[in-house]
Amino acid sequence: MLKVQPLNCTLKRDTGQPSSTDAMIAVLAKEFAALDVEVAETIRVASHNVLAGVTSDEGEGDDWPAIREKILAADILILGTPIWMGQAGSVAKRALERMDAFLSETDELGRMPSYGKVAVAAIVGNEDGAHAASAQIFQSLNDVGWTIPAVAACYWVGEAMGSVDFKDLKETPEMVAKTAKMVAGNAAHLAGLLKDNPFPGEKA
């Protein structure tokens, strides 16, 4: 059975505070569950003490090692982020920076711990920037070993400077729902293929 780990990179630290990023992750989670993919509990990164750095463990008080373990225990990662200033939020960038450590954590065949694992994005905002954010996210994730499927981003962008957020919508927009189904289907398909046929790595 495949497993997906959602990572919510909202700037809101309080897990009790509603998050549009959570709402978008929930849309994707529903589609993954419909495909019999196990959906792990969402990790809200800002509610943890994730220290700045580019190693897998930055020392005393660092919560990233436990988060890293959960990410790598799954087959699929959902990286959810709001858009701020036209780009992925700072919490998402910190998570990506911490995954930079994968570059030096290769196995005997040169494969990073993220090899054979798939990543998709859930993006929300009240300003332009969904394509810019997905470009930043996917380039960074691919650099550190994640595999990106076709149609890998599910996003919603509201009116610039508007007061209506994705979490405020009474129903999921048709195109968002359609995209979520495609994202989940493609990601699960690819993850299944990679689980059965891992990347070969560097052959001697």
Side-chain angles (χ1 to χ4, degrees), residues 7-22:
L7 206 61
N8 182 353
C9 296
T10 176
L11 303 188
K12 298 171 180 173
R13 296 188 298 274
D14 184 357
T15 55
Q17 190 174 4
S19 157
S20 285
T21 308
D22 257 343

PDB file of all heavy atoms in Angstrom, residues 7-22:
ATOM      1  N   LEU A   7       2.679  17.920   3.979  1.00  0.00           N
ATOM      2  CA  LEU A   7       3.475  18.883   4.732  1.00  0.00           C
ATOM      3  C   LEU A   7       2.856  20.255   4.501  1.00  0.00           C
ATOM      4  O   LEU A   7       2.874  20.777   3.386  1.00  0.00           O
ATOM      5  CB  LEU A   7       4.916  18.851   4.214  1.00  0.00           C
ATOM      6  CG  LEU A   7       6.065  19.259   5.139  1.00  0.00           C
ATOM      7  CD1 LEU A   7       6.129  18.349   6.347  1.00  0.00           C
ATOM      8  CD2 LEU A   7       7.381  19.228   4.376  1.00  0.00           C
ATOM      9  N   ASN A   8       2.264  20.828   5.538  1.00  0.00           N
ATOM     10  CA  ASN A   8       1.618  22.135   5.414  1.00  0.00           C
ATOM     11  C   ASN A   8       2.596  23.223   5.824  1.00  0.00           C
ATOM     12  O   ASN A   8       2.980  23.311   6.989  1.00  0.00           O
ATOM     13  CB  ASN A   8       0.360  22.194   6.285  1.00  0.00           C
ATOM     14  CG  ASN A   8      -0.376  23.524   6.149  1.00  0.00           C
ATOM     15  OD1 ASN A   8       0.104  24.458   5.520  1.00  0.00           O
ATOM     16  ND2 ASN A   8      -1.555  23.608   6.746  1.00  0.00           N
ATOM     17  N   CYS A   9       2.979  24.048   4.869  1.00  0.00           N
ATOM     18  CA  CYS A   9       3.953  25.111   5.128  1.00  0.00           C
ATOM     19  C   CYS A   9       3.292  26.487   5.246  1.00  0.00           C
ATOM     20  O   CYS A   9       3.864  27.512   4.847  1.00  0.00           O
ATOM     21  CB  CYS A   9       5.023  25.111   4.044  1.00  0.00           C
ATOM     22  SG  CYS A   9       6.015  23.604   4.020  1.00  0.00           S
ATOM     23  N   THR A  10       2.079  26.515   5.808  1.00  0.00           N
ATOM     24  CA  THR A  10       1.435  27.778   6.127  1.00  0.00           C
ATOM     25  C   THR A  10       2.314  28.542   7.118  1.00  0.00           C
ATOM     26  O   THR A  10       3.130  27.945   7.830  1.00  0.00           O
ATOM     27  CB  THR A  10       0.043  27.543   6.754  1.00  0.00           C
ATOM     28  OG1 THR A  10      -0.536  28.790   7.138  1.00  0.00           O
ATOM     29  CG2 THR A  10       0.131  26.654   7.986  1.00  0.00           C
ATOM     30  N   LEU A  11       2.133  29.850   7.197  1.00  0.00           N
ATOM     31  CA  LEU A  11       2.863  30.645   8.184  1.00  0.00           C
ATOM     32  C   LEU A  11       2.177  30.602   9.553  1.00  0.00           C
ATOM     33  O   LEU A  11       2.739  31.087  10.542  1.00  0.00           O
ATOM     34  CB  LEU A  11       2.976  32.101   7.724  1.00  0.00           C
ATOM     35  CG  LEU A  11       3.624  32.373   6.361  1.00  0.00           C
ATOM     36  CD1 LEU A  11       3.835  33.876   6.170  1.00  0.00           C
ATOM     37  CD2 LEU A  11       4.937  31.635   6.195  1.00  0.00           C
ATOM     38  N   LYS A  12       0.969  30.035   9.608  1.00  0.00           N
ATOM     39  CA  LYS A  12       0.205  29.982  10.858  1.00  0.00           C
ATOM     40  C   LYS A  12       0.722  28.861  11.752  1.00  0.00           C
ATOM     41  O   LYS A  12       0.654  27.695  11.405  1.00  0.00           O
ATOM     42  CB  LYS A  12      -1.276  29.781  10.539  1.00  0.00           C
ATOM     43  CG  LYS A  12      -1.875  30.932   9.736  1.00  0.00           C
ATOM     44  CD  LYS A  12      -3.282  30.604   9.252  1.00  0.00           C
ATOM     45  CE  LYS A  12      -3.850  31.769   8.460  1.00  0.00           C
ATOM     46  NZ  LYS A  12      -5.142  31.431   7.829  1.00  0.00           N
ATOM     47  N   ARG A  13       1.200  29.228  12.937  1.00  0.00           N
ATOM     48  CA  ARG A  13       1.795  28.251  13.848  1.00  0.00           C
ATOM     49  C   ARG A  13       0.760  27.414  14.584  1.00  0.00           C
ATOM     50  O   ARG A  13       1.001  26.247  14.880  1.00  0.00           O
ATOM     51  CB  ARG A  13       2.704  28.954  14.858  1.00  0.00           C
ATOM     52  CG  ARG A  13       3.913  29.643  14.240  1.00  0.00           C
ATOM     53  CD  ARG A  13       4.861  30.138  15.300  1.00  0.00           C
ATOM     54  NE  ARG A  13       4.260  31.127  16.176  1.00  0.00           N
ATOM     55  CZ  ARG A  13       4.217  32.433  15.913  1.00  0.00           C
ATOM     56  NH1 ARG A  13       4.740  32.897  14.782  1.00  0.00           N
ATOM     57  NH2 ARG A  13       3.664  33.281  16.757  1.00  0.00           N
ATOM     58  N   ASP A  14      -0.383  28.033  14.900  1.00  0.00           N
ATOM     59  CA  ASP A  14      -1.417  27.374  15.689  1.00  0.00           C
ATOM     60  C   ASP A  14      -2.173  26.367  14.830  1.00  0.00           C
ATOM     61  O   ASP A  14      -2.854  26.742  13.869  1.00  0.00           O
ATOM     62  CB  ASP A  14      -2.378  28.426  16.252  1.00  0.00           C
ATOM     63  CG  ASP A  14      -3.437  27.841  17.167  1.00  0.00           C
ATOM     64  OD1 ASP A  14      -3.473  26.598  17.323  1.00  0.00           O
ATOM     65  OD2 ASP A  14      -4.234  28.616  17.718  1.00  0.00           O
ATOM     66  N   THR A  15      -2.071  25.074  15.174  1.00  0.00           N
ATOM     67  CA  THR A  15      -2.744  24.044  14.377  1.00  0.00           C
ATOM     68  C   THR A  15      -4.265  24.154  14.450  1.00  0.00           C
ATOM     69  O   THR A  15      -4.973  23.584  13.628  1.00  0.00           O
ATOM     70  CB  THR A  15      -2.325  22.635  14.845  1.00  0.00           C
ATOM     71  OG1 THR A  15      -2.580  22.516  16.254  1.00  0.00           O
ATOM     72  CG2 THR A  15      -0.845  22.396  14.580  1.00  0.00           C
ATOM     73  N   GLY A  16      -4.768  24.893  15.441  1.00  0.00           N
ATOM     74  CA  GLY A  16      -6.208  25.095  15.554  1.00  0.00           C
ATOM     75  C   GLY A  16      -6.717  26.218  14.677  1.00  0.00           C
ATOM     76  O   GLY A  16      -7.936  26.407  14.543  1.00  0.00           O
ATOM     77  N   GLN A  17      -5.798  26.977  14.108  1.00  0.00           N
ATOM     78  CA  GLN A  17      -6.177  28.102  13.251  1.00  0.00           C
ATOM     79  C   GLN A  17      -6.405  27.603  11.829  1.00  0.00           C
ATOM     80  O   GLN A  17      -5.541  26.952  11.249  1.00  0.00           O
ATOM     81  CB  GLN A  17      -5.078  29.169  13.265  1.00  0.00           C
ATOM     82  CG  GLN A  17      -5.475  30.475  12.610  1.00  0.00           C
ATOM     83  CD  GLN A  17      -4.403  31.551  12.791  1.00  0.00           C
ATOM     84  OE1 GLN A  17      -3.329  31.289  13.340  1.00  0.00           O
ATOM     85  NE2 GLN A  17      -4.688  32.757  12.336  1.00  0.00           N
ATOM     86  N   PRO A  18      -7.591  27.888  11.254  1.00  0.00           N
ATOM     87  CA  PRO A  18      -7.894  27.416   9.900  1.00  0.00           C
ATOM     88  C   PRO A  18      -6.848  27.878   8.892  1.00  0.00           C
ATOM     89  O   PRO A  18      -6.334  28.997   8.976  1.00  0.00           O
ATOM     90  CB  PRO A  18      -9.260  28.033   9.600  1.00  0.00           C
ATOM     91  CG  PRO A  18      -9.879  28.264  10.940  1.00  0.00           C
ATOM     92  CD  PRO A  18      -8.723  28.638  11.832  1.00  0.00           C
ATOM     93  N   SER A  19      -6.536  26.997   7.949  1.00  0.00           N
ATOM     94  CA  SER A  19      -5.505  27.274   6.951  1.00  0.00           C
ATOM     95  C   SER A  19      -6.019  26.900   5.574  1.00  0.00           C
ATOM     96  O   SER A  19      -6.500  25.781   5.365  1.00  0.00           O
ATOM     97  CB  SER A  19      -4.243  26.465   7.293  1.00  0.00           C
ATOM     98  OG  SER A  19      -3.423  26.267   6.167  1.00  0.00           O
ATOM     99  N   SER A  20      -5.906  27.816   4.627  1.00  0.00           N
ATOM    100  CA  SER A  20      -6.299  27.515   3.256  1.00  0.00           C
ATOM    101  C   SER A  20      -5.401  26.435   2.663  1.00  0.00           C
ATOM    102  O   SER A  20      -5.831  25.641   1.821  1.00  0.00           O
ATOM    103  CB  SER A  20      -6.241  28.782   2.390  1.00  0.00           C
ATOM    104  OG  SER A  20      -7.336  29.636   2.671  1.00  0.00           O
ATOM    105  N   THR A  21      -4.152  26.401   3.108  1.00  0.00           N
ATOM    106  CA  THR A  21      -3.242  25.358   2.637  1.00  0.00           C
ATOM    107  C   THR A  21      -3.745  23.993   3.104  1.00  0.00           C
ATOM    108  O   THR A  21      -3.720  23.017   2.347  1.00  0.00           O
ATOM    109  CB  THR A  21      -1.813  25.609   3.148  1.00  0.00           C
ATOM    110  OG1 THR A  21      -1.423  26.950   2.839  1.00  0.00           O
ATOM    111  CG2 THR A  21      -0.831  24.647   2.497  1.00  0.00           C
ATOM    112  N   ASP A  22      -4.231  23.915   4.330  1.00  0.00           N
ATOM    113  CA  ASP A  22      -4.827  22.677   4.828  1.00  0.00           C
ATOM    114  C   ASP A  22      -6.037  22.275   3.983  1.00  0.00           C
ATOM    115  O   ASP A  22      -6.242  21.100   3.693  1.00  0.00           O
ATOM    116  CB  ASP A  22      -5.287  22.854   6.281  1.00  0.00           C
ATOM    117  CG  ASP A  22      -4.329  22.207   7.280  1.00  0.00           C
ATOM    118  OD1 ASP A  22      -3.512  21.364   6.870  1.00  0.00           O
ATOM    119  OD2 ASP A  22      -4.407  22.564   8.459  1.00  0.00           O
TER     120      ASP A  22
END
